[in-house]
Amino acid sequence: MKSIKKAIIPVAGLGTRFLPATKTVPKELLPIVDKPTIMYIVEEAIEAGIEDIIFIAGRNKEAIEDFFDVSFELEKVLEKDNRTDLLQDLVAIRNKANFISIRQKEPLGLGHAVFCAKPVIGNDPFAVLLGDELSAGSIKTTQELVSLYEKELCSCVAIMEVEKESVSKYGIIDGVQVNKNTYEIKRLVEKPSQEDAPSRYAMPGRYVFTAGLLDELQDLPPGRNREIQLTDAMDMLAKKERMLGYISAATRYDAGDKLGYLVANIEMGLNHPQIGSALKQYIKQLKGNL
Ligand code: G1P
């Protein structure tokens, strides 16, 4: 059995939902409390045993590569001032993985972005983590999917139940329940209308795939929004190989829009060792004033 050691993290998006903040700063570097969102994603991958992190980046995303590299001047100054604790978490994760960056030259869709990693993935199974959802808790979603893959030896993707009104925002599965948290996926549809949705089980952006997925992406024509869709390739794969959908037990934060991003900041802030109790106090006071 080949274990999951490689993860693809697409970071090519323009971040238009967060303009003007994202005009010159990649949206992946916007902080949740004191860590950029991409750091949470990379931590989740490393906790799942990933060794090679493959960023699929667009232009103007060099700051993400730099973030996971040594910052010589800053680190010398921190060392001199005995403040290396400020970067200790970052140094710990950057030493645990290789960071590989591949350019997606044109924004042709998520499926295309994933396919750009083929030269690094080869014939190995791999994980994909999208940046809008953050997984929290001691066992995060990617680790759950890797464990399921190791048991079942097939592609495994995270699913979650959403309101009927939200199905058109996600890739939706059609599946047969095999146990409490697991569905065998038969078909997938990218962002269906409420009428066409085969279920209310949506994919929040965590996947583990066999290398067969890349074969389906090769020569895949554009689908919804004239983009090469990951969901379309998954649909083809699910017809050839077993594919499981798994309802994760981890806590999730949707940081992909303004409200979700603020909520994620508050929730993570409440658990933060330095500001957690002060924030709790503030919220209590705020509630009294509302
Ligand atoms: C992408 C995928 C979709 C998935 C979603 C999760 O859509 O195409 O299948 O459910 O991510 O966030 P996007 O949000 O990039 O439009």
Side-chain angles (χ1 to χ4, degrees):
M1 182 193 79
K2 285 185 178 171
S3 48
I4 313 281
K5 296 290 170 207
K6 299 174 182 176
I8 301 173
I9 307 183
V11 294
L14 293 175
T16 41
R17 271 185 274 185
F18 285 91
L19 280 170
T22 47
K23 185 169 175 291
T24 51
V25 177
K27 76 165 178 178
E28 295 79 7
L29 291 180
L30 297 181
I32 306 279
V33 192
D34 51 6
K35 289 200 287 195
T37 54
I38 190 74
M39 190 166 158
Y40 292 92
I41 307 282
V42 166
E43 279 173 348
E44 178 182 339
I46 289 174
E47 281 172 34
I50 301 296
E51 292 170 0
D52 294 328
I53 307 264
I54 307 155
F55 294 127
I56 309 297
R59 283 174 286 279
N60 305 322
K61 297 279 181 155
E62 294 85 357
I64 297 175
E65 276 176 61
D66 293 345
F67 182 78
F68 291 100
D69 196 359
V70 174
S71 178
F72 191 75
E73 249 186 330
L74 172 67
E75 290 176 36
K76 277 287 157 222
V77 171
L78 292 178
E79 227 169 79
K80 198 171 113 273
D81 296 347
N82 271 331
R83 304 295 323 268
T84 47
D85 56 304
L86 294 174
L87 283 183
Q88 138 192 322
D89 291 354
L90 178 59
V91 172
I93 62 167
R94 82 172 176 219
N95 288 338
K96 283 189 189 146
N98 303 309
F99 294 91
I100 299 154
S101 197
I102 296 182
R103 279 287 177 100
Q104 183 187 22
K105 298 181 193 86
E106 289 176 88
L108 299 179
L110 179 60
H112 177 259
V114 168
F115 191 69
C116 288
K118 188 173 163 65
V120 182
I121 300 289
N123 281 321
D124 293 332
F126 58 98
V128 177
L129 294 88
L130 306 187
D132 286 345
E133 287 276 329
L134 300 182
S135 179
S138 57
I139 299 196
K140 303 188 175 70
T141 308
T142 302
Q143 196 175 337
E144 291 176 314
L145 295 178
V146 167
S147 304
L148 189 62
Y149 166 85
E150 284 167 355
K151 213 167 108 211
E152 304 288 344
L153 295 178
C154 66
S155 297
C156 301
V157 307
I159 54 170
M160 61 177 182
E161 199 169 0
V162 297
E163 298 297 327
K164 211 168 152 201
E165 294 69 39
S166 298
V167 289
S168 60
K169 290 198 281 188
Y170 296 98
I172 302 290
I173 68 147
D174 186 4
V176 179
Q177 190 165 15
V178 286
N179 66 45
K180 189 165 163 275
N181 297 321
T182 317
Y183 282 71
E184 197 157 312
I185 300 178
K186 301 291 175 204
R187 185 166 71 97
L188 298 103
V189 191
E190 178 66 5
K191 303 196 175 87
S193 63
Q194 282 185 37
E195 301 73 50
D196 293 339
S199 77
R200 289 202 282 116
Y201 285 101
M203 296 185 287
R206 293 292 185 277
Y207 316 80
V208 163
F209 292 120
T210 62
L213 194 267
L214 295 178
D215 298 335
E216 303 308 329
L217 280 169
Q218 179 127 30
D219 304 323
L220 183 71
R224 190 156 194 88
N225 297 334
R226 292 188 300 281
E227 290 180 353
I228 296 170
Q229 295 290 354
L230 180 64
T231 304
D232 293 348
M234 292 173 69
D235 181 54
M236 288 162 70
L237 187 66
K239 292 183 167 92
K240 294 183 187 162
E241 290 181 8
R242 190 155 175 254
M243 185 183 290
L244 295 174
Y246 182 75
I247 304 171
S248 169
T251 311
R252 285 184 313 102
Y253 301 113
D254 179 4
D257 62 27
K258 287 173 195 151
L259 181 63
Y261 175 74
L262 264 182
V263 171
N265 265 285
I266 294 169
E267 297 269 355
M268 299 281 200
L270 286 169
N271 291 323
H272 193 283
Q274 280 158 9
I275 60 160
S277 46
L279 182 61
K280 221 171 271 168
Q281 275 304 111
Y282 172 73
I283 290 173
K284 266 192 202 147
Q285 200 184 320
L286 190 69
K287 265 175 137 173
N289 295 341
L290 285 176

